Amino acid sequence: MANGQWFPPDWPDRIRALADGTLTPVTPRRAATVMLLRDTDAGPAVHMLRRRASMAFAGGAYAYPGGGVDPRDDDRAIRWAGPTRAWWADRLGLDETAAQAIVCAAVRETYEEAGVLLAGPGPDAVVGDTTGADWEADRAALVARELSFAEFLDRRGLTLRSDLLGAWTRWITPEFEPRRYDTWFFVAALPEGQRTRNASTEADRTVWIRPEDAVGGYERGELLMMPPTLATLRQILPYGSPAEALAAAPDRDLTPVIARARLADGGVVLSWPGHAEFTLHIPADVQEGPRA
């Protein structure tokens, strides 16, 4: 559905307020999300979850596991393997503490929302099956912030495998949004022996879907997505396997994408640099974008 992505009813008024100087942008919260990939006979598939329709923002939209940084994600005591913190700092354009927090958030959120853990007993191993009552108890404690990720790894003798992640792109929520996120998108392959499940309280459905099928569903108006989700799906279309996508990740440009808004003919125009297809022309009398 061209120019049909969902937008909340207060966007036009907030955009006008930003333009006339009566709205002060909030500081975006750091976040991470992971495009979890696996091989299938028909090519790579990506794990996606559908946000509950009752969610205040983007209800019913398909997205990837992810969320905000926990203040404890920068704990220097965390067990770490793969590229060093200095390497990640250079790759993400951050200091070492902030870079660790982003990588840690990506791994932690993938476990919290999909039950998949990119960690192992050493730098060359990955845990297998993470289902069971004891694992679920730890996952619930992480979600409730009763347990930090460093404490979780330590009690299980596990090491975070940063080498299993590839930084893919970065998007920042528009300045007029009341809740803003500075989100790094990563790619990762589903570890052998693990399986996904819907562990998120914010999702009512999870699917493994080929990127081309997800894009097709959006274009037919069957699947609702926000611009970053659709853009990243299209970006991984050329890759024939998770390994190919991971190999391409180090060369990806991480210059942040942030929407720009302007007033035009009584309405507003919203655009994302480098992504012309997402340009929205919102007439003055339109209050909300279509829902799938």
Side-chain angles (χ1 to χ4, degrees):
M1 50 186 171
N3 280 334
Q5 68 265 33
W6 177 84
F7 61 87
D10 63 346
W11 264 19
D13 287 342
R14 295 187 65 87
I15 291 171
R16 293 185 183 94
L18 180 67
D20 64 25
T22 59
L23 176 67
T24 301
V26 300
T27 301
R29 180 186 177 189
R30 294 176 300 164
T33 189
V34 177
M35 295 179 282
L36 193 63
L37 305 171
R38 74 175 184 187
D39 283 309
T40 74
D41 293 340
V46 61
H47 180 70
M48 304 188 76
L49 53 84
R50 184 175 66 186
R51 293 171 59 82
R52 294 185 182 277
S54 59
M55 297 295 291
F57 182 73
Y62 282 79
Y64 312 114
V69 167
D70 183 320
R72 298 169 296 178
D73 284 337
D74 61 8
D75 188 340
R76 290 291 295 191
I78 196 166
R79 295 169 179 257
W80 187 275
T84 65
R85 293 169 176 83
W87 186 93
W88 278 106
D90 182 68
R91 178 72 182 110
L92 301 180
L94 303 169
D95 61 48
E96 290 188 26
T97 299
Q100 173 184 301
I102 293 296
V103 172
C104 185
V107 177
R108 176 181 51 74
E109 286 285 342
T110 302
Y111 180 56
E112 288 182 9
E113 295 202 335
V116 170
L117 184 58
L118 304 177
D124 300 313
V126 186
V127 295
D129 187 6
T130 59
T131 59
D134 59 332
W135 284 102
E136 179 56 24
D138 278 352
R139 192 198 66 79
L142 284 170
V143 173
R145 299 298 181 257
E146 298 167 354
L147 186 68
S148 74
F149 199 57
E151 292 167 338
F152 164 71
L153 294 177
D154 187 60
R155 72 160 54 174
R156 287 187 171 271
L158 297 175
T159 299
L160 183 151
R161 291 283 307 275
S162 76
D163 55 314
L164 300 182
L165 286 171
W168 193 259
T169 190
R170 178 184 178 189
W171 286 63
I172 301 177
T173 309
E175 291 183 326
F176 52 82
E177 282 280 30
R179 294 181 180 179
R180 301 186 64 212
Y181 294 91
D182 184 354
T183 305
W184 279 262
F185 288 71
F186 294 85
V187 291
L190 178 69
E192 185 175 355
Q194 294 193 39
R195 57 183 185 271
T196 57
R197 63 185 188 277
N198 183 7
S200 173
T201 59
E202 297 181 354
D204 62 8
R205 183 189 184 203
T206 61
V207 296
W208 280 101
I209 187 170
R210 295 191 311 157
E212 50 265 52
D213 292 336
V215 171
Y218 171 88
E219 293 175 341
R220 292 190 299 272
E222 298 169 356
L223 301 181
L224 182 65
M225 299 177 200
M226 299 300 284
T229 307
L230 182 61
T232 48
L233 284 170
R234 285 188 168 145
Q235 288 162 357
I236 61 177
L237 285 176
Y239 302 100
S241 69
E244 287 184 15
L246 276 165
D251 295 324
R252 293 279 308 168
D253 182 9
L254 296 184
T255 301
V257 179
I258 182 169
R260 297 172 180 169
R262 61 183 175 87
L263 302 179
D265 300 324
V268 295
V269 177
L270 186 60
S271 61
W272 282 260
H275 300 273
E277 71 168 302
F278 299 131
T279 300
L280 274 174
H281 298 267
I282 308 174
D285 58 347
V286 173
Q287 294 302 311
E288 184 176 1
R291 293 178 180 269

